[in-house]
């Protein structure tokens, strides 16, 4: 993971985030990394909470939130990515004339979360079987939030599962929603907006609301690792 992280072209990723609100970074995890993370799903003492999605009408599937301290691999991803994403987030908020700037170190963001009583870990592994899906949503968890998050794909599409595409929707003011369907490969990382992105219009920048979800898995089993940079109230 360290080598892959060092090879990221952050200028290119920044441009893609500004233009699209998301960017796919290929081959960020090895096959072994993916298999190890999937195996973590069955280690009960690693997690603080399990959510059966159908129970809350979130979809069909299951996910588990890691507890602190996070596994070393996940902690490394979280703290290494954040300083590269914070300047993008700050540029977005400045463009939208929003009175908020994010600290450049992840520990400082977590300190702000703690001051707002957001102290629960939000890194999670999601598992879907046949028929599984995730309804469109945003992962905010409290008043303190970071406007970007990450998903790492732990199975190979069209081999380990079919269907299960990652879906983003854009809601442009006074217009119909636009759907974006993505199909990253095993080991790929997707960085995307948590709730909105700026878009340039004729009179400056305006806010485009975005949500994400997962289409129905037709066959097989699909696992992903989600990394959210802010902590949760519960």
């Amino acid at each position: 993971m360290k080598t892959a992280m060092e090879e990221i072209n952050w200028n290119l990723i920044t441009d893609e985030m500004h233009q699209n609100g998301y960017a796919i970074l290929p081959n960020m995890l090895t096959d072994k990394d993916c298999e190890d993370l999937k195996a973590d799903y069955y280690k009960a003492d690693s997690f603080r909470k399990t959510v059966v999605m159908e129970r809350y009408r979130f979809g069909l599937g299951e996910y588990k939130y890691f507890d602190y301290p996070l596994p070393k691999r996940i902690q490394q991803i979280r703290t290494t990515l954040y300083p590269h994403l914070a300047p993008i987030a700050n540029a977005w908020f400045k463009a939208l004339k929003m009175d908020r700037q994010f600290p450049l170190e992840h520990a400082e963001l977590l300190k702000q979360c703690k001051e707002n009583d957001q102290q629960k870990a939000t890194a999670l592994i999601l598992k879907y079987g046949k028929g599984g899906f995730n309804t469109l949503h945003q992962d905010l968890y409290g008043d303190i939030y970071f406007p970007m998050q990450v998903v790492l794909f732990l199975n190979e599409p069209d081999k380990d599962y079919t269907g299960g595409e990652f879906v983003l929707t854009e809601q442009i003011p006074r217009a119909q929603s636009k759907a974006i369907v993505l199909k990253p490969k095993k080991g790929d990382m997707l960085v995307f907006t948590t709730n909105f992105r700026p878009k340039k219009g004729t009179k400056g920048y305006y806010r485009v609301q975005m949500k994400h979800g997962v289409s129905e898995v037709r066959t097989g089993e699909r696992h992903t690792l989600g990394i959210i940079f802010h902590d949760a109230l519960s």
Side-chain angles (χ1 to χ4, degrees):
M1 183 69 194
K2 184 177 178 182
T3 302
M5 195 77 72
E6 290 169 349
E7 294 176 354
I8 296 173
N9 182 337
W10 282 107
N11 289 330
L12 177 61
I13 298 306
T14 298
D15 288 344
E16 290 183 7
M17 291 299 295
H18 287 328
Q19 183 174 345
N20 302 316
Y22 69 89
I24 296 175
L25 289 66
N27 302 316
M28 296 303 296
L29 295 177
T30 65
D31 275 354
K32 185 178 186 305
D33 290 332
C34 294
E35 296 306 313
D36 287 348
L37 284 163
K38 284 190 290 185
D40 284 346
Y41 192 83
Y42 300 98
K43 298 176 182 176
D45 58 351
S46 298
F47 300 97
R48 67 174 181 86
K49 184 178 182 180
T50 298
V51 176
V52 178
M53 296 166 64
E54 187 176 13
R55 187 177 302 163
Y56 301 95
R57 303 182 73 180
F58 292 163
L60 183 62
E62 184 180 88
Y63 56 88
K64 296 182 180 181
Y65 288 107
F66 284 94
D67 202 357
Y68 282 126
L70 296 176
K72 184 177 179 181
R73 181 191 294 107
I74 295 172
Q75 180 68 17
Q76 179 192 21
I77 296 170
R78 205 178 186 215
T79 56
T80 304
L81 282 177
Y82 177 85
H84 296 285
L85 298 177
I88 304 173
N90 287 335
W92 283 12
F93 274 54
K94 184 177 180 181
L96 292 169
K97 297 182 171 57
M98 298 177 69
D99 187 22
R100 176 81 194 276
Q101 290 287 282
F102 295 92
L104 299 182
E105 294 296 327
H106 188 237
E108 289 300 311
L109 178 69
L110 294 185
K111 183 179 177 182
Q112 293 177 8
C113 289
K114 185 175 182 180
E115 290 168 353
N116 195 54
D117 203 28
Q118 294 175 220
Q119 301 185 61
K120 302 290 188 180
T122 49
L124 71 164
I125 291 185
L126 304 96
K127 183 181 79 168
Y128 306 89
K130 181 179 178 181
F133 67 97
N134 197 342
T135 55
L136 294 169
H137 65 283
Q138 298 173 329
D139 296 308
L140 297 177
Y141 298 114
D143 292 335
I144 304 299
Y145 66 88
F146 188 68
M148 295 166 199
Q149 63 193 83
V150 167
V151 172
L152 289 136
F153 294 79
L154 308 181
N155 294 94
E156 188 64 41
D158 296 328
K159 179 182 177 184
D160 298 331
Y161 67 94
T162 60
E165 295 87 358
F166 190 91
V167 180
L168 287 163
T169 60
E170 279 189 352
Q171 179 57 64
I172 297 172
R174 296 177 296 281
Q176 299 295 322
S177 294
K178 171 185 175 183
I180 302 160
V181 179
L182 305 174
K183 199 173 178 179
K185 296 182 178 299
K186 183 178 182 179
D188 289 356
M189 175 189 291
L190 173 66
V191 184
F192 63 100
T193 176
T194 299
N195 57 341
F196 62 80
R197 72 179 182 92
K199 188 175 179 69
K200 189 160 188 172
T202 56
K203 298 180 180 179
Y205 287 92
Y206 61 91
R207 188 187 305 197
V208 174
Q209 292 290 335
M210 297 186 74
K211 293 183 177 182
H212 64 278
V214 176
S215 71
E216 184 175 342
V217 175
R218 293 193 294 274
T219 62
E221 199 167 70
R222 178 190 190 273
H223 299 77
T224 53
L225 170 67
I227 295 181
I228 295 152
F229 294 96
H230 47 273
D231 284 347
L233 286 166
S234 62

